[in-house]
Amino acid sequence: TVLVITVNTLILTFLTDRYFADYLKESYELHVSEIIDYATAALSSEEISLRQMAIELESHLNDPIVEIKLYDKNGNLLADVGRENFLDMPMMGSRFSRMPMGRTIDLSTQETRQFEIESDGQILGIVNITIHNIAENSFVAQKFKSALLVNSVASFGITIVIAVLIGIYVSKKMSTSLKETEQLATEIQMGNDVGYVSSDIKEINAIRESLLELNARLRLKQKTRKTLVDQLVHQTRTPLTILQSHLEAIQDGIIEVSDDELKVCQNQINDIKSIITNMS
């Protein structure tokens, strides 16, 4: 999230530097054309008052234009708008509606351009238009970059908070699933009966399925081993019983010790040896 916001901010700043100056230049040229057209019409007409001229020219105080002065052909000043009015002029909507308190105009970045007002080959007057000679230092450009920086910082903070919350949620969910899996492994180790409990995490489900499969194999091996041991015990008990009964009969004098009797006992001992060999 930090990387995405940083890259996004750099790209937007680059695009601002690249295209915003062109936008201000086009806006300036449009306003200059409108000012000259209006000044030509105003100086050609005797019905337009000086106050009306000032009001109409004031509407063109749009960054980067900071001052407009209109003179007649004799050099008399007819309208002077700007500077004191520029600080309160509208700039690109409500977000840039007024300059902040204490903000001053940097005269070192301004220049005045003079245009002659002509009609039918006759000079009607002169209009002086003062503008920022560096588009990047204009109020709109500075405010736009400032808003971009503030919004980037806000976006950074919001996404970090969301990322942390998601991380805590995922971590808690993962931790709970791992604890349940640990308990499952403990129950298997103790030989208790366990059942499958599904989890929302695919990897945890795979581990639990492997544990249950291992438990099933262990139980099957235990059952097979118990069956085998029971069979071996049974097979061992038979020759031992026969051997014991013959020895007791010999001790009681019921059976005399003979080669045949010794052979019977030897056979039973061989059977026990064979069973032990199979058990190995």
Side-chain angles (χ1 to χ4, degrees):
T1 54
V2 173
L3 180 62
V4 168
I5 295 174
T6 302
V7 172
N8 187 50
T9 302
L10 292 175
I11 291 175
L12 289 178
T13 303
F14 171 76
L15 293 177
T16 299
D17 292 338
R18 182 176 180 181
Y19 295 110
F20 207 75
D22 293 339
Y23 163 76
L24 292 178
K25 182 179 180 181
E26 292 177 1
S27 176
Y28 160 74
E29 292 175 352
L30 176 62
H31 279 282
V32 168
S33 176
E34 292 176 350
I35 290 171
I36 293 177
D37 290 342
Y38 175 76
T40 302
L43 294 176
S44 300
S45 175
E46 297 179 355
E47 299 179 356
I48 300 177
S49 64
L50 297 180
R51 179 174 176 77
Q52 187 176 355
M53 288 183 186
I55 294 175
E56 291 292 340
L57 292 176
E58 187 176 344
S59 65
H60 292 283
L61 288 177
N62 194 0
D63 206 21
I65 299 175
V66 297
E67 186 178 50
I68 303 173
K69 291 183 178 181
L70 178 62
Y71 300 87
D72 62 12
K73 61 182 178 180
N74 298 320
N76 298 318
L77 181 62
L78 302 179
D80 182 3
V81 295
R83 302 213 185 270
E84 69 279 355
N85 298 322
F86 179 72
L87 296 179
D88 291 329
M89 73 179 184
M91 287 194 262
M92 294 181 67
S94 59
R95 182 170 295 185
F96 304 120
S97 59
R98 288 181 179 272
M99 293 298 299
M101 294 296 293
R103 182 68 181 270
T104 59
I105 299 177
D106 187 4
L107 298 179
S108 64
T109 63
Q110 297 177 3
E111 65 176 348
T112 299
R113 297 178 180 178
Q114 189 176 82
F115 301 91
E116 292 182 348
I117 309 300
E118 296 181 355
S119 178
D120 297 331
Q122 296 182 354
I123 297 178
L124 302 179
I126 295 174
V127 61
N128 290 342
I129 300 176
T130 303
I131 64 169
H132 287 279
N133 58 4
I134 302 178
E136 288 79 0
N137 289 337
S138 67
F139 296 124
V140 174
Q142 292 177 5
K143 277 189 163 292
F144 185 81
K145 292 180 180 179
S146 175
L148 177 62
L149 178 61
V150 171
N151 291 334
S152 298
V153 172
S155 300
F156 176 82
I158 292 173
T159 50
I160 286 297
V161 170
I162 294 176
V164 169
L165 293 177
I166 293 176
I168 292 175
Y169 171 75
V170 172
S171 177
K172 185 176 180 181
K173 191 173 183 180
M174 179 72 74
S175 177
T176 301
S177 296
L178 288 175
K179 288 180 179 179
E180 293 176 352
T181 305
E182 179 188 11
Q183 182 64 30
L184 176 64
T186 302
E187 294 293 334
I188 292 176
Q189 184 179 7
M190 296 177 63
N192 299 331
D193 293 332
V194 294
Y196 178 75
V197 179
S198 178
S199 172
D200 295 335
I201 303 173
K202 181 176 63 174
E203 292 77 8
I204 296 296
N205 280 333
I207 294 175
R208 292 180 181 179
E209 290 175 359
S210 298
L211 287 174
L212 291 175
E213 183 179 356
L214 177 61
N215 182 46
R217 291 183 179 181
L218 289 175
R219 286 182 175 274
L220 180 60
K221 288 185 178 182
Q222 289 175 355
K223 183 177 180 180
T224 304
R225 185 179 296 110
K226 185 177 183 302
T227 302
L228 179 61
V229 170
D230 289 343
Q231 293 176 356
L232 293 175
V233 169
H234 177 70
Q235 294 175 6
T236 307
R237 185 180 290 117
T238 301
L240 285 175
T241 302
I242 296 174
L243 187 60
Q244 183 180 9
S245 62
H246 278 262
L247 291 176
E248 289 177 353
I250 292 173
Q251 289 177 350
D252 294 339
I254 299 174
I255 300 176
E256 295 181 357
V257 178
S258 62
D259 292 340
D260 291 337
E261 190 62 30
L262 292 175
K263 187 175 181 180
V264 171
C265 293
Q266 185 63 43
N267 290 335
Q268 300 305 318
I269 293 173
N270 291 335
D271 289 343
I272 294 175
K273 287 182 179 181
S274 177
I275 292 173
I276 292 175
T277 301
N278 291 334
M279 186 180 297
S280 300

